[in-house]
Amino acid sequence: MVVLVVMLLALTAGTAQAGGTLQEGDSWKGMERELAPDALLVRLDRLVNVCVANYEDLTTDLLLGIAIANAQLRTILKQGPLPEPQRQFVESLAKKCDFVESRIESIFNFPSGANAVVSKLLIDSEFWESKDEPKSGAFKDQSKSRRRRSQLMMDDDPQALMESYLEAIDAGGPSELQSDECLSELLVNESENEFNSTASSNSSPNSVPPLAKLLILSRECSAAMSLRKRSYGYHLTHKLLFYIVLARQRFANVDRAFVADGQRTLCEQILHESDLIARFDFPDLFRDLFMEQVLLCALADAPLVEFTNPAWLGAIVSWQNGEGCFKYYGDEGDGVIGPNALTTHCSTHMSGVGAALLGLFARLQLVQRE
């Protein structure tokens, strides 16, 4: 860890003032062509084509991102009439996403562990479709909030902040295993061994509607997901994912306002980390985490406008490589020459997050225009 700190601080020395924060005059107009919905959808299409060509090698991380992206495409198609060429393109892209998403059926025919259950149930575009009215103003003027945030951080020492962040990033919870176990508690009411993906489809039209769902959460998960305990890095984004899934489950004994407030609290904490990463000009080591932060906070209920920052999205799309993927070049397999593009050119988690981001920001812009 000490070596990592020294390397990162050496790489980022002198860049703290350079990267990532919009000036007041910046707007979507300056990046309109690069970040327009059609441009983002073309980028998504390139990434999906890699998935189609490497269907047998797809991972659950990548499949989850495709499922979230596919949900955005479905929402776009439901919003209203699109110009015919655009509608045909989105429909074609959604069909390819359907094909890629179907890979989960052959990976987990009968899930047993918590990770398998979570993957089986979350890799489903229907789960991620927007269930409420579109949120208006997602791309409204951000100058006031940007000025306020800049003022709050003006007196901070970026170098000291980064040192503290590197020391804290592995602290807190939940762990990856805890996250999977707690998500499975949200998603599965019965024993995971009794999970049956066809149960809902076998109900007859005249069957009695199911009783209101009640959340029964273990003491361990209540503690791991507590808002009173500070978390950092992926621990923090995994906690936010829990609250996003919790909101979508609509349990009768869970206050929706409490869940929405929890999401906002977590995104306010995440914003400090995202700002710091941006101020250091997005070090390669943190790009995957940064993308996950932006995706989940833009996907949350009533998202903070800071996470629709065009400079941040512009940086993210610039990381997509010529093959259509996103890659952290510290991943094993970097530079390996071979027929498998997923190994040679893609980081599957980063590419999955990238797919979801491209679909989400295309949808946010198209929905806003309605």
Side-chain angles (χ1 to χ4, degrees), residues 117-133:
V117 172
V118 170
S119 298
K120 180 80 172 181
L121 292 171
L122 289 187
I123 298 173
D124 178 1
S125 53
E126 290 186 10
F127 180 86
W128 294 104
E129 281 190 63
S130 298
K131 294 181 172 60
D132 296 318
E133 290 299 314

Side-chain angles (χ1 to χ4, degrees), residues 52-349:
V52 171
N54 296 273
Y55 182 81
E56 295 297 327
D57 300 309
L58 296 173
T59 65
T60 54
D61 286 337
L62 189 46
L63 287 171
L64 177 57
I66 295 296
I68 295 174
N70 198 11
Q72 313 311 310
L73 300 176
R74 290 169 179 255
T75 303
I76 290 170
L77 291 170
K78 289 178 180 178
Q79 288 307 308
L82 295 170
E84 187 60 20
Q86 188 180 47
R87 183 188 64 78
Q88 291 180 358
F89 183 82
V90 174
E91 285 181 345
S92 173
L93 181 52
K95 288 178 181 178
K96 285 192 279 189
C97 287
D98 286 340
F99 172 72
V100 172
E101 197 178 324
S102 70
R103 177 68 175 123
I104 191 61
E105 298 299 331
S106 52
I107 294 178
F108 294 126
N109 287 321
F110 195 84
S112 55
N115 177 268
V117 172
V118 170
S119 298
K120 180 80 172 181
L121 292 171
L122 289 187
I123 298 173
D124 178 1
S125 53
E126 290 186 10
F127 180 86
W128 294 104
E129 281 190 63
S130 298
K131 294 181 172 60
D132 296 318
E133 290 299 314
K135 305 174 184 71
S136 61
F139 294 88
K140 65 185 179 182
D141 178 64
Q142 305 169 43
S143 58
K144 289 185 179 179
S145 61
R146 206 177 301 126
R147 282 197 300 269
R148 182 176 66 252
R149 191 172 77 250
S150 299
Q151 184 63 43
L152 287 172
M153 300 189 70
M154 191 174 296
D155 298 327
D156 294 333
D157 178 0
Q159 203 79 3
L161 282 172
M162 181 58 79
E163 289 182 23
S164 299
Y165 182 49
L166 285 167
E167 292 174 0
I169 195 168
D170 291 327
S175 66
E176 187 171 356
L177 177 59
Q178 281 179 316
S179 179
D180 287 337
E181 290 175 343
C182 296
L183 284 171
S184 70
E185 289 189 18
L186 296 184
L187 294 164
V188 183
N189 291 325
E190 300 83 15
S191 165
E192 60 194 30
N193 291 323
E194 297 171 6
F195 172 74
N196 182 358
S197 61
T198 63
S200 60
S201 62
N202 291 335
S203 57
S204 64
N206 298 323
S207 60
V208 178
L211 297 175
K213 291 190 297 184
L214 298 177
L215 174 62
I216 303 174
L217 199 63
S218 67
R219 182 176 300 176
E220 292 77 12
C221 285
S222 295
M225 299 300 172
S226 172
L227 295 173
R228 292 189 293 270
K229 294 183 178 180
R230 282 303 302 266
S231 303
Y232 302 89
Y234 288 106
H235 299 299
L236 183 54
T237 55
H238 289 177
K239 187 179 289 188
L240 174 59
L241 176 60
F242 176 88
Y243 279 84
I244 290 173
V245 173
L246 177 59
R248 289 176 175 270
Q249 289 297 81
R250 300 182 183 275
F251 291 106
N253 59 337
V254 175
D255 182 6
R256 293 179 65 183
F258 166 78
V259 178
D261 288 344
Q263 291 182 22
R264 186 173 186 85
T265 296
L266 293 171
C267 283
E268 287 172 348
Q269 295 172 12
I270 288 171
L271 182 58
H272 291 294
E273 298 187 18
S274 302
D275 255 324
L276 184 60
I277 293 169
R279 293 174 75 187
F280 274 85
D281 203 20
F282 312 103
D284 188 58
L285 180 66
F286 289 110
R287 288 181 179 181
D288 179 271
L289 173 60
F290 180 80
M291 290 170 66
E292 186 167 302
Q293 292 170 339
V294 172
L295 170 65
L296 292 178
C297 284
L299 198 61
D301 298 331
L304 301 179
V305 294
E306 286 86 349
F307 287 99
T308 60
N309 184 332
W312 287 6
L313 182 59
I316 289 170
V317 300
S318 74
W319 304 334
Q320 188 177 20
N321 59 33
E323 300 296 325
C325 282
F326 294 83
K327 184 169 180 67
Y328 166 54
Y329 287 94
D331 273 357
E332 185 178 353
D334 176 33
V336 174
I337 304 300
N340 189 337
L342 290 181
T343 300
T344 309
H345 303 293
C346 309
S347 297
T348 55
H349 181 273

